[in-house]
Amino acid sequence: MLTVDFSRFPLAPGDRVLDLGCGAGRHAFECYRRGARVVALDQNGEEIREVAKWFAAMKEAGEAPVGATATAMEGDALALPFPDESFDVVIISEVMEHIPDDKGVLAEMVRVLKPGGRIAITVPRYGPEKVCWTLSDAYHEVEGGHIRIYKADELLAKIREAGLRPYGTHHAHALHSPYWWLKCAFGVDNDKALPVRAYHKLLVWDIMKKPLATRVAERALNPVIGKSFVAYATKPHLPRAEADAT
């Protein structure tokens, strides 16, 4: 299940991509399939080991084009172990809401992104997320949990302040918002509640089968209750005079 829409976020074979806070690796895997040179980075060592196994399995199965590469590594988003201007593309999906110093993370992403490079940032959307927080303290008051809810204009302002130029936004995963509302209403750790189990089955069926009816419904509902807010931006090239001075 991808949150980044690659029809709005073009990726060319050979692009060097950083999936920052990659988690289980869903975006890193898609970039690898598209022929990119991918680095998947996360502070969770267990998840990184799983991502590395999947990269190896994809290579063995011939799922990645010739020339594509994939590396999984542990790292700190506030101190990225890469030189300046190392990547053509940076993706950070459902991560910034967990990090106290979100401006520091943005600064690091801008540092390692090449001029003209592209960045995709996704966070939980304000409205659906606010419902979750209202229904359940346990949803967000956990170690490593969500510490803030972004409004769209607030996130875009921070992106611009970091020196990036936003060029597009959208919402995603509308069908997932009711699932999390049910989880919060019946207990975040209560997977046995009938409404939660029934809706989970619906989501699994939708992800596996991708039926036209739910695809159309989600596209129609995304502007209203989309669970995620997605922003795309570029790092501008320096003006000639400033580049020469640098």
Side-chain angles (χ1 to χ4, degrees):
M1 184 187 70
L2 299 174
T3 307
V4 172
D5 181 352
F6 286 92
S7 69
R8 310 179 194 223
F9 189 65
L11 190 68
D15 275 352
R16 186 162 164 78
V17 177
L18 172 63
D19 185 2
L20 180 55
C22 65
R26 57 201 174 104
H27 289 106
F29 299 149
E30 180 64 20
C31 293
Y32 189 33
R33 290 188 188 98
R34 290 171 178 260
R37 295 174 293 154
V38 184
V39 176
L41 183 144
D42 201 286
Q43 67 177 2
N44 186 317
E46 184 176 342
E47 286 196 311
I48 282 298
R49 286 187 287 275
E50 284 300 311
V51 170
K53 290 178 184 177
W54 278 105
F55 279 151
M58 290 172 68
K59 182 178 180 179
E60 181 70 20
E63 290 188 36
V66 175
T69 62
T71 302
M73 61 185 296
E74 289 184 58
D76 182 352
L78 290 165
L80 295 174
F82 310 111
D84 295 355
E85 302 179 4
S86 298
F87 294 93
D88 303 289
V89 172
V90 176
I91 296 171
I92 184 167
S93 183
E94 312 299 301
V95 173
M96 287 180 57
E97 67 275 9
H98 296 272
I99 301 177
D101 186 8
D102 58 347
K103 291 185 178 180
V105 172
L106 275 167
E108 272 294 87
M109 290 190 290
V110 171
R111 180 184 68 79
V112 301
L113 186 64
K114 296 177 182 178
R118 302 171 304 286
I119 189 166
I121 299 173
T122 91
V123 297
R125 185 184 186 177
Y126 183 85
E129 184 77 348
K130 190 69 174 177
V131 173
C132 289
W133 282 45
T134 301
L135 289 172
S136 171
D137 290 336
Y139 171 78
H140 63 97
E141 290 182 355
V142 294
E143 184 178 355
H146 299 182
I147 62 172
R148 71 175 66 82
I149 308 176
Y150 288 101
K151 292 184 176 179
D153 56 356
E154 174 193 0
L155 179 60
L156 290 171
K158 289 187 176 184
I159 290 172
R160 293 187 182 97
E161 184 182 343
L164 298 166
R165 291 179 182 168
Y167 69 83
T169 65
H170 65 90
H171 300 99
H173 309 319
L175 295 182
H176 288 250
S177 290
Y179 172 71
W180 282 102
W181 297 340
L182 289 170
K183 289 269 288 181
C184 289
F186 285 92
V188 173
D189 296 321
N190 180 12
D191 294 326
K192 295 182 179 180
L194 179 59
V196 174
R197 287 192 289 117
Y199 202 96
H200 183 263
K201 285 185 178 180
L202 170 66
L203 290 180
V204 171
W205 172 75
D206 175 58
I207 291 170
M208 298 300 294
K209 300 298 185 180
K210 297 180 175 63
L212 178 61
T214 56
R215 296 301 85 214
V216 171
E218 184 156 78
R219 282 197 296 270
L221 289 170
N222 274 338
V224 184
I225 59 169
K227 184 75 170 65
S228 295
F229 174 70
V230 188
Y232 305 106
T234 59
K235 179 178 177 178
H237 291 276
L238 288 173
R240 176 59 62 86
E242 187 176 346
D244 290 345
T246 300

